[in-house]
C-alpha cells in the first residue's frame, strides 16, 4: 500500500498529530473505526494503511489533508522513472492537447470508467488496480486547481462513446455526463470525431501535448509498455502536425456537445 521512506514519515506524522490532539490510540481508533491495537500496529509499521484510513485520520485530526498528501507523494515516487518527466510536465502545464483513438483520456475519466479500464488488465491484483485508479483521480486535480489551471483540449471518437454493452451502459452514461459537466465548468474543450470519418491520421495511436509557462511543449506517447516522453523539436513538430490533422476532422464544439448528449440519452433510455 505504501512505500518507504515516505511511509515512515506518514506514520511519524500520524503519531505526532494524534498526540497533539490529546488522543490515545484507543480514542483515536474509535473515531476512525479501528481498535487501539490496530492503531498501534499502524504507527509501528506492523500493519499497512490505505487511502481511506488516511482520509479519515486527516478529518479526525484536522490535519488539512497532510497525511493523504504524503501518500500521494509516495505514490508519485512509485511511478516508473520513464513516466516522471511527463508527470512533471503535466502538473505545470498551461495547456494540454490529448487524443485517444479508443478510450476517454485519463484526465477526463470518471472513477468507475477508470476502474473498468484498468481492471481489464488481468495481470493486476485488486489492490494495484485501486492504487492506479487513485493515482489517475489525483492527476485530474490539475484541472480544478485554484491557481491557473490548464486549458484542456481533448479529441475523442464517437465510436469510443458508443462502445458499450449492457453491463457497461451505466458507467458510460455517467462518463458522458461527466464530459459534459467538464465542458460546462469551463477550461475544457471536447471535440468528437464522428463515426463517418472512418480513417484519419490519429489512428496511429494516442498522444498528449503539454505546453508549459515558458511556451515550450512536451509530448507523451502511450503504448503497452507505458509510454515515452517526447521533447525533440522534430518529433514535437510531427505530433503538432498530427494534432492539426486530427482536430480538422472533429466536429465543432457545439456539434460535439450535441452528439455527446444524443449518445448519452440513447444509452440512458434503452
Amino acid at each position: 500500500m505504501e512505500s518507504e521512506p515516505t511511509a515512515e514519515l506518514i506514520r511519524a506524522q500520524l503519531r505526532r498529530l494524534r498526540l497533539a490532539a490529546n488522543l490515545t490510540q484507543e480514542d483515536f481508533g474509535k473515531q476512525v473505526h479501528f481498535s487501539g491495537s490496530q492503531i498501534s500496529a499502524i504507527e509501528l509499521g506492523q500493519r499497512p494503511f490505505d487511502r481511506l484510513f488516511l482520509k479519515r485520520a486527516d478529518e479526525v485530526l484536522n490535519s488539512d489533508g497532510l497525511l493523504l498528501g504524503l501518500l500521494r507523494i509516495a505514490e508519485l515516487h512509485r511511478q516508473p522513472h520513464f513516466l516522471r518527466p511527463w508527470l512533471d510536465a503535466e502538473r505545470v502545464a498551461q495547456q494540454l492537447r490529448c487524443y485517444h483513438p479508443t478510450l476517454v483520456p485519463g484526465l477526463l475519466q470518471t472513477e468507475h470508467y477508470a476502474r473498468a479500464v484498468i481492471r481489464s488488465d488481468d495481470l493486476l491484483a485488486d489492490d494495484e488496480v485501486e492504487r492506479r485508479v487513485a493515482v489517475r483521480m489525483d492527476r485530474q486535480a490539475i484541472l480544478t486547481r485554484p491557481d491557473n489551471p490548464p486549458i484542456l483540449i481533448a479529441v475523442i471518437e464517437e465510436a469510443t462513446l458508443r462502445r458499450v454493452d449492457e453491463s457497461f451502459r451505466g458507467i458510460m452514461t455517467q462518463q458522458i455526463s461527466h464530459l459534459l459537466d467538464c465542458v460546462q465548468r469551463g477550461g475544457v474543450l471536447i471535440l468528437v470525431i464522428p463515426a463517418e470519418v472512418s480513417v484519419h491520421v490519429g489512428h496511429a495511436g494516442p498522444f498528449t501535448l503539454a505546453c508549459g509557462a515558458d511556451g515550450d511543449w512536451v509530448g507523451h506517447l502511450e503504448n503497452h509498455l507505458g509510454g515515452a516522453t517526447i521533447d525533440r523539436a522534430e518529433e514535437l513538430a510531427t505530433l503538432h502536425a498530427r494534432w492539426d490533422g486530427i482536430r480538422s476532422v472533429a466536429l465543432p464544439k457545439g456539434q460535439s456537445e450535441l452528439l455527446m448528449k444524443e449518445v448519452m440519452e440513447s444509452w440512458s433510455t434503452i
Side-chain angles (χ1 to χ4, degrees):
M1 293 276 186
E2 70 275 5
S3 60
E4 303 291 353
T6 311
E8 292 183 3
L9 177 59
I10 291 174
R11 290 193 290 267
Q13 290 301 311
L14 173 65
R15 184 174 186 277
R16 180 187 67 80
L17 291 166
R18 178 181 61 77
L19 292 175
N22 292 315
L23 292 173
T24 66
Q25 291 176 336
E26 194 71 33
D27 291 337
F28 174 64
K30 289 178 181 178
Q31 296 189 53
V32 295
H33 313 300
F34 276 63
S35 67
S37 61
Q38 288 174 321
I39 297 301
S40 175
I42 289 173
E43 291 184 355
L44 292 172
Q46 299 168 350
R47 179 188 175 98
F49 50 76
D50 59 18
R51 301 176 68 83
L52 181 58
F53 170 78
L54 294 181
K55 183 176 184 295
R56 288 175 179 164
D58 275 327
E59 292 169 352
V60 169
L61 299 171
N62 296 313
S63 51
D64 196 26
L66 172 64
L67 300 174
L68 200 54
L70 289 172
L71 179 62
R72 288 170 179 156
I73 293 173
E75 290 172 336
L76 179 61
H77 283 296
R78 287 182 63 184
Q79 296 301 312
H81 287 286
F82 68 80
L83 186 58
R84 292 181 190 175
W86 170 249
L87 293 178
D88 290 340
E90 181 183 79
R91 189 167 51 250
V92 300
Q94 300 296 299
Q95 182 181 148
L96 291 159
R97 300 174 177 179
C98 58
Y99 167 76
H100 201 296
T102 57
L103 296 172
V104 173
L107 289 176
L108 295 172
Q109 292 177 2
T110 65
E111 182 175 339
H112 292 306
Y113 183 96
R115 182 174 290 106
V117 170
I118 294 170
R119 185 167 281 156
S120 66
D121 185 347
D122 295 334
L123 298 178
L124 299 178
D126 287 346
D127 60 344
E128 178 62 15
V129 169
E130 292 306 313
R131 187 192 71 81
R132 294 192 184 195
V133 170
V135 170
R136 186 162 300 182
M137 295 301 101
D138 285 344
R139 287 171 64 180
Q140 295 180 4
I142 63 171
L143 300 179
T144 55
R145 68 190 181 205
D147 182 22
N148 197 21
I151 300 297
L152 170 62
I153 306 173
V155 179
I156 60 179
E157 301 277 349
E158 179 183 352
T160 295
L161 304 179
R162 295 190 184 276
R163 188 181 296 111
V164 293
D165 57 23
E166 183 67 23
S167 64
F168 202 62
R169 189 177 69 199
I171 291 176
M172 201 66 230
T173 300
Q174 181 192 54
Q175 176 62 71
I176 300 175
S177 177
H178 176 67
L179 294 177
L180 291 166
D181 288 344
C182 289
V183 171
Q184 292 300 315
R185 187 178 65 226
V188 174
L189 174 62
I190 300 174
L191 305 177
V192 181
I193 297 177
E196 55 261 31
V197 180
S198 57
V199 179
H200 62 81
V201 70
H203 287 162
F207 67 92
T208 304
L209 290 160
C211 182
D214 55 5
D216 290 339
W217 289 87
V218 177
H220 180 68
L221 300 177
E222 296 183 35
N223 58 51
H224 283 277
L225 298 179
T229 300
I230 307 300
D231 56 9
R232 295 176 56 187
E234 59 271 29
E235 294 175 339
L236 286 170
T238 298
L239 290 181
H240 280 291
R242 296 286 172 89
W243 172 259
D244 290 341
I246 291 167
R247 186 163 178 174
S248 70
V249 297
L251 295 172
K253 177 179 183 294
Q255 292 181 39
S256 293
E257 291 177 32
L258 287 174
L259 181 55
M260 285 189 285
K261 290 177 182 177
E262 175 199 322
V263 175
M264 181 179 68
E265 290 169 1
S266 71
W267 281 112
S268 60
T269 56
I270 291 177

